[in-house]
Structure formats: structure tokens, C-alpha cells
Amino acid sequence: MQSGRNAAEAAKESAANVGASAKAGMEKAKASAQEKVDKMRAHDPIEKDMARERKEERIQEAELDKQQARAEHAADRQTGTGPGTRVGLGTGTGTGTGTHTYDPTVGR
């Protein structure tokens, strides 16, 4: 069962990493779009150059955020504290007590 748990944790980590990559991609796209708007509004080459530099800074920041998130996801997986991890919920077998009976008339 341990390998199943590791597989589940790996899947959760992968999903979280995909989300971080998607978020970084959106931030990069926003930075590029904002650069275009700033360049259209700018009238001199210095302002246009500043718009390009702002875009590059935002792209670098998005990439760093993505890498940090990936590192956090890997650390969460190692410690078992990632998203969806159950702590202190016991090791129930899922068999129940067997005292419940089905009543087809309930809910009509």
C-alpha cells in the first residue's frame, strides 16, 4: 500500500506543479501584453525600453515563483504535508460496523 500512497503523492505533486506552471505562463503572457500596451502609449525610446525591462522583470519573477512552488511541492511530498494529505484520521478499514440496514421506503 505504501507504493500506492507514493504514487498518489507523486500525482498530487505533479498536479500542483502543472498549476504552478500554468500560473507562471499566465503571468508571462500578462507581462507581454502589458509591455505592448506600454510601448503603444510611450512616445520616446526610453519609455519603450523601460516597458521592455519591466516585462523581463515580471517574467523572471514568475519563473522564480514557479521554481519556488515546485521546491515547496517536493518538500511537501517528502514530509507528507502536501495538499490532500490526511493527518490523524486513523487507519479505518472501510468495512463499517455492519449495523446499518437499508430501508427502501425512506426518502420517498
Side-chain angles (χ1 to χ4, degrees), residues 75-97:
D76 287 348
R77 179 177 175 208
Q78 294 297 322
T79 60
T81 59
T85 303
R86 294 193 248 172
V87 178
L89 293 179
T91 58
T93 60
T95 59
T97 61

Side-chain angles (χ1 to χ4, degrees), residues 19-63:
S21 293
K23 183 177 178 183
M26 287 299 298
E27 290 301 318
K28 291 175 183 180
K30 285 186 212 176
S32 294
Q34 187 62 48
E35 177 203 22
K36 290 177 183 181
V37 169
D38 291 346
K39 279 186 172 184
M40 286 192 299
R41 289 181 179 168
H43 295 292
D44 65 66
I46 294 172
E47 290 177 354
K48 292 182 182 201
D49 202 33
M50 287 174 56
R52 182 188 50 79
E53 288 176 8
R54 278 193 302 272
K55 177 193 83 165
E56 290 174 1
E57 287 174 7
R58 287 179 68 183
I59 287 174
Q60 287 176 353
E61 184 178 337
E63 187 64 28

